[in-house]
């Protein structure tokens, strides 16, 4: 989209501590500018860091583009210049959503008996009500951004002080006083979103965003331990990630040291804080999905289907290549084909489906990519399995009987380098994991 310089300085709709939201070139867009300001303690501490606005914009645009590549919808449209990007205009949902992999910050104040950095196998999602000047809908609160605890049994939600143990306090604001679940967002077509009802959608999206960024940062030698997101409703009435996600939004560790705003909160030198923001922006330029492939090999066109569905492949967003050649009957053609297919996309996993004697071990001896064989005849002829299990030396083939487990095994291997596949696998797993 071509935007004139006049439009780039459109009317200010809202100005916060670290960003300015301007009217966009049409009714459905806004321009988001990141400022050079850095603040902590609800504005009690304030400084200017030259270049911060541009680094924040680089980081946030790269986050949004990665999420888009991973199929997670968000409000980002395009970057306009160093400090500005164009976004869909959304009706903002008044929650700050915090997702945690480890306990730090306010979580430790609520659970002082836990160790700093306590690991959570299942991501924890917390909702904080967004307030301005400790007010919300005409109600005055003792703190900014109180913690929201949903009471499912009674379809209610209560507000708590976020910096004190929950078990040691009563809610200072109960939904019997004001029905939070009836708080609604009027969308463009006149329908309503009830905040209480949309929290599962928000919660699941927030987890997915975390998982994508968790893996992406792992690949760049960093550990993401928590972050804060905000969602909005766009002009298609979809709930999408809508606020900036930058080095102010998360806690990101490298060898135990903070690469984020915590360094500023803890009184670090401004030049050191600036260097962390610069590095984060520079690293974010390397965000993106690798080119990978799943090779599905059958020894004969007659071999049974692989047993998993095309939509599994679509969910994981993985390219696949299907080959049917018998390494016994056409060894040269099989050899040449597997070499070429891997040369085209070196980051591959090979799954071999075949009856009777095992083509998988034979292929595994000729390639450097992980090979999994699925001896499809095992139910009728259990002895067939032995030719896949007792293999000669230098024949590193894994044998898995259930086709779907073979597929998931291949996804686990690809997930090591792929934030989207990692997100898909881990999201499913975490539905059944528990925290302790
Ligand atoms: P905590 O609740 O532990 O203080 O913060 C959890 C996470 O959310 C941290 O990564 C923190 O940086 C982020 N966070 C909390 N409140 C805000 C906020 O008002 N603005 C931004 N940008 N991030 C926040």
């Amino acid at each position: 989209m071509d935007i004139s310089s006049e439009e780039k300085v459109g009317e200010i709709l809202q100005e916060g501590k670290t960003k300015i939201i301007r009217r966009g070139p049409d009714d459905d867009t806004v321009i988001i500018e990141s400022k050079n300001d850095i603040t902590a303690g609800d504005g009690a501490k304030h400084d200017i860091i030259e270049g911060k606005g541009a680094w924040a914009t680089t980081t946030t645009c790269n986050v949004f583009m990665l999420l888009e590549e991973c199929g997670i919808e968000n409000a980002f449209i395009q970057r306009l210049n160093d400090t500005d990007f164009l976004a869909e205009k959304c009706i903002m949902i008044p929650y700050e959503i915090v997702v945690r992999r480890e306990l730090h910050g306010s979580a430790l104040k609520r659970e002082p008996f836990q160790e700093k950095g306590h690991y959570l196998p299942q991501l924890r999602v917390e909702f904080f009500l967004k307030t301005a000047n400790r007010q919300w809908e005409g109600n005055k609160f003792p703190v900014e951004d109180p913690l929201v605890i949903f009471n499912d049994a009674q379809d209610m939600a209560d507000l708590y002080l976020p910096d004190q143990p929950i078990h040691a306090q009563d809610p200072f604001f109960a939904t019997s006083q004001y029905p939070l679940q009836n708080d609604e967002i009027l969308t463009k077509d006149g329908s309503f979103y009830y905040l209480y009802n949309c929290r599962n959608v928000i919660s699941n999206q927030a987890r997915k965003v975390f998982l994508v960024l968790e893996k992406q940062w792992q690949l760049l030698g960093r550990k993401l331990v928590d972050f804060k997101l905000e969602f909005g409703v766009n002009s298609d009435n979809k709930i999408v990630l809508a606020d900036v996600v930058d080095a102010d939004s998360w806690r990101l560790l490298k060898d135990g040291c903070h690469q984020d705003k915590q360094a500023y909160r803890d009184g670090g030198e401004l030049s050191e804080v600036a260097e962390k923001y610069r590095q984060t922006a520079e690293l974010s330029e390397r965000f993106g999905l690798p080119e990978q492939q799943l090779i599905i090999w059958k020894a004969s066109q007659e071999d049974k289907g692989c047993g998993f569905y095309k939509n599994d492949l679509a969910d994981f967003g993985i390219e696949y290549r299907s080959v049917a050649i018998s390494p016994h009957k056409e060894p040269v053609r099989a050899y040449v084909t597997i070499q070429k297919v891997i040369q085209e996309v070196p980051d591959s996993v090979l799954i071999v489906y075949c009856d009777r004697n095992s083509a998988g071990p034979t292929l595994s001896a000729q390639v450097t990519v992980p090979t999994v064989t699925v001896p499809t005849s095992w139910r009728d002829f259990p002895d067939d399995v032995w030719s896949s299990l007792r293999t000669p030396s230098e024949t590193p083939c894994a044998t898995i009987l259930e086709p779907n487990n073979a597929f998931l095994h291949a996804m686990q291997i690809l997930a090591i380098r792929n934030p989207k596949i990692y997100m898909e696998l881990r999201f499913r797993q975490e539905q059944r994991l528990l925290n302790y």
Side-chain angles (χ1 to χ4, degrees), residues 14 53 59 64 100 131 166 198 269 341 346 366 399 415:
Q14 205 184 324
T59 306
F64 282 133
R100 299 182 197 272
T131 57
I166 303 299
C198 66
E269 286 285 323
V341 168
Q366 304 163 26
T399 299

Side-chain angles (χ1 to χ4, degrees), residues 96 98 100 104-107 128 226-228 248-251 265:
E96 293 200 338
V98 170
R100 299 182 197 272
H104 294 258
S106 77
F128 296 84
D226 58 27
F227 68 28
K228 185 266 318 181
D248 283 344
S249 317
W250 56 45
R251 289 193 177 91
R265 291 187 192 108

Side-chain angles (χ1 to χ4, degrees), residues 17-18 42 96-100 104-108 110 126 128 130 145 225-230 243-244 246-252 260-262 265:
K17 289 185 282 243
T18 56
D42 281 329
E96 293 200 338
I97 316 295
V98 170
V99 182
R100 299 182 197 272
H104 294 258
S106 77
L108 289 174
R110 291 190 293 280
E126 294 167 351
F128 296 84
K130 243 180 111 73
D145 302 341
V225 298
D226 58 27
F227 68 28
K228 185 266 318 181
L229 304 179
E230 288 177 39
D243 193 27
V244 298
D246 59 26
D248 283 344
S249 317
W250 56 45
R251 289 193 177 91
L252 186 70
D260 52 66
K261 190 167 147 182
Q262 194 65 30
R265 291 187 192 108

